[in-house]
Amino acid sequence: MPLDSLYLDNFRLFSKTKIQFKNNHTIILGKNGSGKTTIVEAINLLYSNKSLRSKDIKDCIKEGSDFFKVGAKGTLGNKEFKKITRKKLDARLENKIEPREVKRADLERPVVVLNKQLKLIDGDPEIRREFFYQLMFHVKPDLKNLHKKYTQALSQRNKALKQGAQNKEIKIWTNKLLDLGIQLAKGQLQAFNSFKKSVAKEVIPKRSLDFYKGLNLRFKRGWASSKELEEVLSESLDKERALGYTLNGPHKFDFVFNIHQKNAKEILSRGQQKLLILLTFLSINDFFIAEKKPSSILIIDDLTSELDEENLKVFLDEVPKQDNQIIMTDIDPNDVLKKDKKLNSLEKIIL
């Protein structure tokens, strides 16, 4: 199993705490403040070196302590591995993987679902871009460096626009932006089409959900589909000078969930939207495998917070069918969870 156990020492409210995962599918139950989200944060930090709740990782150190340590044991193929992350107040974050032949890129990747991700359909485009970039950079690491170069060129062009630079200087950064932007947009579309296939394969055919028939994901590249990027940048230059930033380009890409060519947020109920989003997250594992990447570890925090009883039952029916590891958290079992027999196949950890 990708993650067999987790060790937390001086990490927020936990001291010398070991959590064992004996089943591929686990639900962690506890009252508010018991540390459920902290466990989610610790797993994510182990693999990403980032906190889900703080910009400064030092904030994860338990009050009164001068360090934290997070460790995990798991299985990769037939080999056991250990991963340790340590942070001291006055030192850099330390990472260690044993044995040495196990590389970070070989490990399964956690995919975390928080309340923000449940706004994937009706939320701001930034939510969808953040979600997609995390997946895209994982399956196509070369696009991460390309995106970084594009963002730097975009920043320089915006700076020139804001400072009222001459057309000659702006043209230098426009040409740079064009070259990188066309490459990035092509990579975005290729990754999106692969992801779209996984969603189409996973969400609809395997389930009898009439309200998702006609589902389609539509890519919006960030500028008018009828025009080339060079033309759009030229036409919008005067307006961009007035605003001080670049209006069009792959940094503005988006995608929408459509049902029979209409935006899903206008057709589906709130509960149906949340269920569709969670089923979309289930499809990520197929996406990773199709791209020849290690499986995902799906982590869902506060499972029942925004799911009604009917749609919660549908989702719980799908979890045991998944091959990848799934870790969920929730408050003390409510009536729905107590009644649902699907929970019998899940390992329960009570905090």
Side-chain angles (χ1 to χ4, degrees):
M1 197 160 58
L3 191 60
D4 295 324
S5 64
L6 182 70
Y7 177 77
L8 307 173
D9 191 9
N10 293 329
F11 190 83
R12 296 207 184 266
L13 57 84
F14 290 101
S15 295
K16 299 185 184 302
T17 301
K18 185 176 181 180
I19 299 168
Q20 290 187 299
F21 301 99
K22 300 176 182 178
N23 191 311
N24 211 29
H25 303 140
T26 304
I27 186 162
I28 301 172
L29 301 166
K31 297 179 180 178
N32 288 329
S34 61
K36 301 185 301 298
T37 301
T38 297
I39 293 172
V40 171
E41 180 183 28
I43 297 172
N44 182 74
L45 186 144
L46 261 174
Y47 291 83
S48 70
N49 294 334
K50 294 180 181 179
S51 165
L52 291 170
R53 294 189 282 180
S54 304
K55 289 184 178 180
D56 193 339
I57 293 180
K58 287 191 295 186
D59 293 341
C60 297
I61 298 175
K62 186 176 182 179
E63 187 175 352
S65 302
D66 60 1
F67 80 98
F68 75 68
K69 177 182 176 182
V70 178
K73 289 183 179 180
T75 307
L76 183 63
N78 296 321
K79 292 184 179 180
E80 293 185 352
F81 73 89
K82 183 192 301 183
K83 191 177 190 314
I84 298 172
T85 297
R86 186 195 304 266
K87 171 66 179 174
K88 295 181 180 179
L89 279 173
D90 55 353
R92 290 184 175 183
L93 197 69
E94 301 175 23
N95 285 293
K96 185 178 181 181
I97 302 178
E98 296 177 348
R100 286 187 176 183
E101 56 264 28
V102 175
K103 305 300 180 184
R104 182 177 172 183
D106 298 330
L107 302 177
E108 278 81 356
R109 183 179 180 85
V111 176
V112 179
V113 185
L114 303 174
N115 283 338
K116 182 174 74 171
Q117 281 72 39
L118 291 177
K119 295 180 173 63
L120 204 60
I121 292 176
D122 61 354
D124 293 334
E126 287 76 11
I127 295 175
R128 289 183 289 277
R129 281 195 282 269
E130 181 184 351
F131 160 80
F132 187 69
Y133 275 140
Q134 289 178 352
L135 305 185
M136 185 177 79
F137 294 156
H138 177 57
V139 300
K140 298 186 181 295
D142 55 316
L143 290 180
K144 185 173 185 178
N145 187 49
L146 178 60
H147 176 264
K148 182 179 180 180
K149 291 179 179 179
Y150 174 84
T151 302
Q152 290 170 344
L154 177 65
S155 177
Q156 291 295 332
R157 187 177 190 271
N158 287 345
K159 183 178 178 181
L161 289 168
K162 190 174 292 185
Q163 293 177 346
Q166 295 183 356
N167 285 345
K168 184 177 180 181
E169 181 182 348
I170 292 176
K171 186 173 178 59
I172 293 173
W173 291 113
T174 298
N175 289 339
K176 186 74 171 174
L177 199 71
L178 274 170
D179 180 46
L180 295 168
I182 291 171
Q183 294 180 61
L184 179 59
K186 183 179 179 180
Q188 287 173 339
L189 181 58
Q190 289 175 343
F192 177 81
N193 284 336
S194 178
F195 174 64
K196 180 179 175 179
K197 286 180 182 177
S198 297
V199 173
K201 174 184 175 184
E202 177 70 24
V203 174
I204 299 301
K206 295 183 179 180
R207 303 171 179 89
S208 300
L209 301 173
D210 290 339
F211 51 87
Y212 292 154
K213 289 180 179 177
L215 173 68
N216 182 47
L217 270 63
R218 182 167 65 88
F219 182 81
K220 300 169 71 175
R221 64 180 183 176
W223 70 93
S225 59
S226 60
K227 297 181 179 181
E228 298 296 329
L229 181 56
E230 182 176 10
E231 182 183 0
V232 172
L233 289 175
S234 177
E235 291 176 350
S236 59
L237 181 57
D238 289 342
K239 187 174 182 180
E240 290 175 338
R241 277 187 174 279
L243 294 172
Y245 59 88
T246 304
L247 289 167
N248 300 282
H251 61 288
K252 290 290 186 178
F253 96 93
D254 195 5
F255 66 93
V256 294
F257 291 81
N258 284 344
I259 304 287
H260 297 301
Q261 300 182 345
K262 291 184 179 181
N263 197 313
K265 70 180 180 181
E266 299 172 1
I267 297 174
L268 301 181
S269 70
R270 187 173 181 83
Q272 290 170 342
Q273 288 182 40
K274 303 310 178 189
L275 176 58
L276 174 55
I277 292 167
L278 288 174
L279 296 177
T280 299
F281 272 92
L282 288 184
S283 74
I284 288 173
N285 196 55
D286 280 357
F287 175 49
F288 285 178
I289 292 173
E291 293 292 324
K292 296 179 171 56
K293 295 294 180 180
S295 298
S296 65
I297 302 174
L298 182 60
I299 305 173
I300 304 171
D301 193 32
D302 207 4
L303 175 64
T304 63
S305 63
E306 295 195 50
L307 269 184
D308 55 62
E309 181 174 341
E310 180 182 355
N311 290 305
L312 175 60
K313 287 181 177 179
V314 173
F315 181 72
L316 287 174
D317 188 47
E318 299 306 316
V319 172
K321 303 174 186 177
Q322 295 297 118
D323 294 328
N324 58 312
Q325 187 168 17
I326 299 176
I327 300 171
M328 301 171 286
T329 76
D330 196 45
I331 57 173
D332 285 337
N334 55 32
D335 288 340
V336 179
L337 292 177
K338 285 179 180 178
K339 294 175 184 176
D340 203 304
K341 295 180 180 179
K342 308 296 185 306
L343 279 182
N344 293 333
S345 65
L346 304 180
E347 177 195 4
K348 302 176 190 65
I349 297 176
I350 311 296
L351 296 182

